[in-house]
Amino acid sequence: MIKELRDARLKGAKAAYRILDMLEARDRLKQTYGQVDVFQALAQLDIMVMFKPLDGLLGAYLRGSPPGVLISTKRPHSVQRFTAAHELGHAVLEHEPSLDTPDVLRRAASGRFGGIGKFAAHLQEVEADAFAGEFLMPRWLLAHHAALQGWSPRHFNDPAVVYQLSLRCGSSYDATTRALERNRVISSSSGAALRKVKPKALKEDLRRDDKSFNPWSDAWIITEKDQTSSVKFREGDVVGVHLIEHAAGGYRWIHSAPTEMTPLSDRTTLGLDIGAASERRIVFKCDHAMHGKLAFVEKRPWESEGHNIDFSVEIVGPEEGLSSATRQRLVQR
Ligand SMILES: [Zn+2]
């Protein structure tokens, strides 16, 4: 890589860590569902965010007072988050205004520029791209989720694990493989092998009971390990809850789900040995926005109390017009 490109990547990454520190993003992980909340960051820095059905554009950064960012509604949430972080990068690095097409972002990621005389503009894009990558997936965020889930580097050779990590970080599967590679958690050949798998294939198992799925929706697997952190789903997502069940001893999980979550299927996989624990797999569909609790209790039918597992969950719908974080910021002022 030529020196200018390497310097541009470094500059973008450094700026990302500076802004993350300034906004105390790491200390606020619990309130932000284990993700870096880029829309809140934009609002905190007084950059207006507007969601619009843009054609051919992922987003744009407009200078002015106040500066503004446009995000296309015609893209899945993980792409919107990446675009927002890219536009935040333009703002923080005091770049020229930028209209970002899928092509511009692809070239920035690959380091190829679009022709003679365009090198300065291309460097801006490389800086903003490096900013977005580090901002949404800093090393400490990968470490945070790995520790919560008990994942070690070898787990990240499994596409299904990388997909579940991407959901927890609020990033795309592809961006997650690159973050793991950048941080040398996996090798570049592993990264390339992971990218040959398409997220669609990883969602299929959980979606088989959902006849009306939206291709942009995601398929989560949550376990006992997710009960310490709150989880944020999107309308249309399917959620498989996998819990160890001591069926041989007469125990059974009973759930109480909010009305906005519809149970789709309920299966038990038996343990191989006699008396071994089995796994209960209950799949829910997130139908409508809500904030509440998905509660489970494992007990024998004749007992009144048992082992409780509660998940604190939020379901959110798509954004349109001014971002909810921008609206909140305007009210506060
Ligand atoms: Zn750009």
Side-chain angles (χ1 to χ4, degrees), residues 86-87 90 98-100 104-105 124-125 128:
H86 176 101
E87 308 306 345
H90 281 314
S98 176
L99 297 176
D100 292 310
V104 165
L105 267 82
Q124 269 201 186
E125 294 309 325

Side-chain angles (χ1 to χ4, degrees), residues 99-130:
L99 297 176
D100 292 310
T101 62
D103 211 34
V104 165
L105 267 82
R106 231 182 341 260
R107 277 202 302 267
S110 67
R112 284 191 308 273
F113 71 101
I116 297 190
K118 294 185 178 162
F119 193 59
H122 176 62
L123 281 183
Q124 269 201 186
E125 294 309 325
V126 172
E127 285 178 14
D129 185 79

Side-chain angles (χ1 to χ4, degrees), residues 213-266:
F213 67 82
N214 166 349
W216 286 355
S217 66
D218 280 305
W220 296 70
I221 292 174
I222 61 171
T223 69
E224 196 162 355
K225 289 171 182 156
D226 289 288
Q227 63 173 332
T228 49
S229 50
S230 330
V231 221
K232 179 145 88 178
F233 305 124
R234 312 200 58 80
E235 282 177 359
D237 284 359
V238 287
V239 182
V241 185
H242 292 190
L243 298 171
I244 300 293
E245 187 169 70
H246 303 88
Y251 292 91
R252 193 93 180 121
W253 285 105
I254 298 166
H255 62 80
S256 82
T259 50
E260 293 86 352
M261 293 180 88
T262 313
L264 289 178
S265 69
D266 188 343

Side-chain angles (χ1 to χ4, degrees), residues 1-15 93 95 119 122-128 130-131:
M1 201 193 305
I2 60 170
K3 187 175 177 303
E4 281 93 337
L5 286 179
R6 205 174 46 229
D7 289 350
R9 290 239 153 91
L10 212 61
K11 186 176 166 191
K14 266 192 179 162
L93 296 157
H95 286 166
F119 193 59
H122 176 62
L123 281 183
Q124 269 201 186
E125 294 309 325
V126 172
E127 285 178 14
F131 178 95

Side-chain angles (χ1 to χ4, degrees), residues 4 13 30 39 49 70 104 137 141 158 206 236 244 247 266 268 303:
E4 281 93 337
K30 212 162 173 93
F39 296 109
V49 177
L70 292 175
V104 165
M137 268 188 292
L141 187 67
D158 179 352
L206 281 173
I244 300 293
D266 188 343
T268 306
E303 289 171 342

